Amino acid sequence: MPATKQLTKGNEALAMGAVAGGCDCFFGYPITPQNEVPEVLSYEMPKRGRVFVQAESEVASINMVYGAAAAGKRAMTSSSSPGISLMMEGVSYIACAELPCLIVNVMRGGPGLGSITPSQGDYFQACKGGGHGDYHCIVLAPWNVQEMYEFPALGFELADRYRCPAMILADGVLGAMMEPATIRDDDAPPDVPEKPWATSGRNGRNHKNIVNSLVIEPYGLRDHNLKLQAKYAKMQCETRWDTRHTDDAEILLVAYGIAARLALSACKLARKQGVNAGLLRPITLYPFPSDAIVECAAGKKRVLVVELSSGQMVEDVRLAINGKVPVDFYGEMGGVIPSPADICRKIMEAVQ
Amino acid sequence: MLEQTVLAGFGGQGVLMMGKLLASAAMDEGLYASWLPSYGPEMRGGTANCIVVVSDEEIGSPVSDACDAIVVMNQPSLEKFESKVRPDGTLIINKSIVPVETTRKDVNAHYLEADDIAEKNCDANRSANVVMLGALQSVRQILKSDSVRRAIACSFKSKGQQVIDANLAAFAAGTNALRTEPIGPTR
């Protein structure tokens, strides 16, 4: 496919990635630090005859996504932490109604209105529900601008495959930073699977398609939940992860997104000081690459989880490793970015 | 190779642009590059800055508190960032509007009157940022001057040949400024 390497801002790459990923409709409400996403889509979508709506609120945005997804369209929204909180009811409805869509969270410091600086405090919200009820989103964590460009298409693809909302969990640094990224020049639409369940008109069928998230009868809702759980079990084969310098490592760092970038630099610093450190980076946060982490951590002295939070993903790492290797944690909150030197100090403390 | 550079000044002095020129030139040479602006709450007239990382291998952290070089366009930036340069690193300071010198004794500080040079060479102090970029290039030489010139030509393309030429002249003037005025680490 024809493509050019361009110095691109993360948020802009994400917007162009959504266009390339066949997004039909975008609904959103402004919030820092993701505003370049709707900005770019506000002119790129109408140019192609696609839908861009700046909604009156986040609640409206997610419900517009619900409607467009029910009609079989590739629909998305983008926001940042407080805005995503407002959307949670809608996400739960979409998950229950088994609709595919894409939700982007460019995380900022919380809780509350918090700050506009980068954070990873929304891991629990993204991976453990967030809204009510027993549901999951597929959660993808990019770590560079190239992945900001590629993950919208991947998110749509996985969402369609499992009829489940997909979420891209980025942060303020990834949104604001520029890096060379390979961006497609053409506008060829991706392959989108048939959606025979869509409420897009009867089209000669002998039955009505109904999209609904109300299952009032308890056994009926139990059965629906069992179906959802079976789907989440099937989804476990979609785990993705990436490693750097793990083969000879005595300590394994586990981090995602921007924290993984900081951790990679810390590994290099540690190696200069004679400690072989390696990195495993979960790319899918749900489903979580537990098996890969167990396998990679086997034989290592220690595991160090690094997050821009008080320690959220570390719980899943500890569950996976189940006490076989000691797991340490280092995190910063509120939009503070630890330096690689800070992380390197924690590596040194851990191996001593 | 790993080169971490902070570019800092008032909003409007073109420090983000300066960083983009560096990152574009690095990309042009097939190197890895990252550019990260400060986007936190800033008051009007406060400082704007960005950090550019250039490397021949995959870049981990896009931030650093031990930079190789810092380009200082105004006095608040000197106060804010002089502690962020590593020992033996480089400080390039715009003497036109920074009336003080660095308090660091363990770095290589270079001073030039970027606003005045820009005005003299290109009839406008707007290109002081590119003068500073030229000075940085003459001291650090991480990238090829040709790639930086290509980045300048490419970035100002939409503004016409006159603007491109003015900026190329500013770049050349900045490159020569430290050569003709050897006031380096001893100052």
Side-chain angles (χ1 to χ4, degrees):
Chain A
M1 252 175 275
T4 46
K5 205 164 208 190
Q6 299 167 26
L7 193 62
T8 314
K9 201 170 216 196
N11 284 331
E12 292 170 0
L14 194 136
M16 293 315 293
V19 170
C23 179
D24 297 305
C25 320
F26 177 92
F27 311 98
Y29 188 79
I31 185 169
T32 305
Q34 61 81 56
N35 282 322
E36 293 90 350
V37 177
E39 184 199 350
V40 170
L41 290 173
S42 71
Y43 52 81
E44 293 295 341
M45 294 290 273
K47 229 197 268 182
R48 293 165 172 82
R50 305 188 198 173
V51 174
F52 172 89
V53 177
Q54 180 173 317
E56 68 270 34
S57 71
E58 287 86 350
V59 176
S61 305
I62 193 70
N63 283 289
M64 289 176 186
V65 168
Y66 186 8
K73 297 293 179 190
R74 280 197 162 172
M76 75 177 281
T77 186
S78 170
S79 190
S80 179
S81 307
I84 296 288
S85 290
L86 287 166
M87 293 183 186
M88 277 300 139
E89 179 199 42
V91 178
S92 171
Y93 279 43
I94 293 169
C96 184
E98 293 195 87
L99 295 175
C101 69
L102 181 64
I103 300 147
V104 176
N105 182 0
V106 182
M107 289 184 280
R108 59 188 245 179
L113 202 47
S115 76
I116 58 170
T117 43
S119 168
Q120 295 182 320
D122 305 349
Y123 178 91
F124 283 153
Q125 185 193 53
C127 300
K128 311 278 176 188
H132 58 281
D134 280 313
Y135 81 91
H136 286 289
C137 295
I138 295 161
V139 184
L140 302 171
W143 83 327
N144 59 24
V145 172
Q146 187 66 45
E147 288 187 344
M148 291 288 271
Y149 177 71
E150 288 167 4
F151 282 9
L154 177 63
F156 276 126
E157 185 193 321
L158 292 172
D160 277 346
R161 189 177 304 158
Y162 293 97
R163 287 184 59 185
C164 171
M167 183 179 276
I168 292 176
L169 201 60
D171 63 78
V173 171
L174 286 169
M177 74 190 281
M178 288 178 104
E179 285 182 317
T182 306
I183 308 280
R184 268 170 50 187
D185 298 326
D186 68 327
D187 236 5
D191 290 334
V192 179
E194 291 284 312
K195 296 180 177 176
W197 45 263
T199 53
S200 50
R202 191 89 170 238
N203 300 323
R205 277 191 312 266
N206 58 6
H207 66 276
K208 282 184 198 163
N209 280 346
I210 295 171
V211 169
N212 184 22
S213 84
L214 176 70
V215 192
I216 199 82
E217 200 275 312
Y219 286 98
L221 184 55
R222 181 196 61 181
D223 289 348
H224 185 62
N225 266 291
L226 289 171
K227 186 182 163 203
L228 291 178
Q229 292 303 317
K231 183 164 83 174
Y232 300 140
K234 210 171 121 194
M235 225 183 249
Q236 300 304 314
C237 68
E238 299 290 353
T239 51
R240 286 166 163 80
W241 68 93
D242 196 5
T243 58
R244 294 287 186 279
H245 318 298
T246 50
D247 289 348
D248 63 346
E250 51 190 299
I251 178 166
L252 177 70
L253 275 70
V254 182
Y256 71 93
I258 195 62
R261 296 283 295 261
L262 304 170
L264 176 60
S265 288
C267 286
K268 288 180 185 170
L269 286 179
R271 279 175 181 265
K272 277 189 196 151
Q273 296 174 36
V275 172
N276 287 351
L279 170 71
L280 186 148
R281 164 175 83 96
I283 296 172
T284 52
L285 300 179
Y286 189 90
F288 192 68
S290 304
D291 293 346
I293 289 172
V294 171
E295 201 176 305
C296 199
K300 308 273 189 272
K301 267 193 221 160
R302 295 193 90 88
V303 170
L304 173 65
V305 178
V306 182
E307 295 177 64
L308 270 60
S309 78
S310 65
Q312 301 191 10
M313 182 181 72
V314 64
E315 293 193 1
D316 285 332
V317 175
R318 288 201 171 115
L319 274 173
I321 290 180
N322 201 15
K324 284 181 212 120
V325 183
V327 178
D328 300 304
F329 173 75
Y330 175 53
E332 287 285 357
M333 291 175 280
V336 173
I337 307 173
S339 74
D342 295 334
I343 301 170
C344 184
R345 268 192 292 281
K346 297 290 168 184
I347 295 175
M348 294 304 168
E349 281 170 29
V351 292
Q352 248 141 49
Chain B
M1 180 268 285
L2 178 69
E3 177 83 357
Q4 300 163 317
T5 311
V6 163
L7 308 121
F10 286 126
Q13 277 185 310
V15 294
L16 301 186
M17 182 57 171
M18 212 187 334
K20 282 184 199 175
L21 290 171
L22 267 184
S24 301
M27 182 179 75
D28 188 50
E29 291 186 25
L31 295 167
Y32 290 89
S34 73
W35 172 96
L36 179 69
S38 62
Y39 71 89
E42 292 281 2
M43 63 178 182
R44 189 185 163 122
T47 58
N49 69 83
C50 63
I51 174 164
V52 174
V53 182
V54 172
S55 179
D56 53 3
E57 54 184 67
E58 185 178 43
I59 293 169
S61 174
V63 297
S64 173
D65 54 11
C67 290
D68 302 288
I70 299 191
V71 176
V72 175
M73 295 285 285
N74 68 351
Q75 193 174 348
S77 298
L78 182 64
E79 288 154 11
K80 192 169 173 182
F81 289 107
E82 66 176 350
S83 64
K84 303 282 184 194
V85 65
R86 65 168 166 78
D88 210 33
T90 300
L91 274 176
I92 298 189
I93 297 164
N94 179 11
K95 207 166 61 168
S96 293
I97 58 165
V98 182
V100 296
E101 294 184 9
T102 178
T103 57
R104 291 282 296 269
K105 304 286 178 221
D106 57 343
V107 300
N108 302 302
H110 304 269
Y111 299 83
L112 72 158
E113 289 168 333
D115 286 40
D116 302 87
I117 293 170
E119 210 145 344
K120 201 165 78 192
N121 280 270
C122 338
D123 304 325
N125 69 357
R126 273 193 309 181
S127 54
N129 59 341
V130 181
V131 171
M132 292 294 273
L133 189 62
L136 175 73
Q137 174 65 17
S138 70
V139 176
R140 299 296 303 175
Q141 300 194 343
I142 294 298
L143 301 166
K144 299 185 185 87
S145 292
D146 266 351
S147 342
V148 182
R149 279 194 283 267
R150 267 199 299 278
I152 290 170
C154 185
S155 300
F156 293 106
K157 207 164 139 190
S158 63
K159 302 204 166 159
Q161 193 58 43
Q162 214 179 336
V163 175
I164 294 176
D165 290 342
N167 278 285
L168 288 174
F171 183 69
T175 312
N176 293 329
L178 296 181
R179 278 197 202 128
T180 52
E181 212 180 326
I183 38 164
T186 50
R187 198 186 144 119

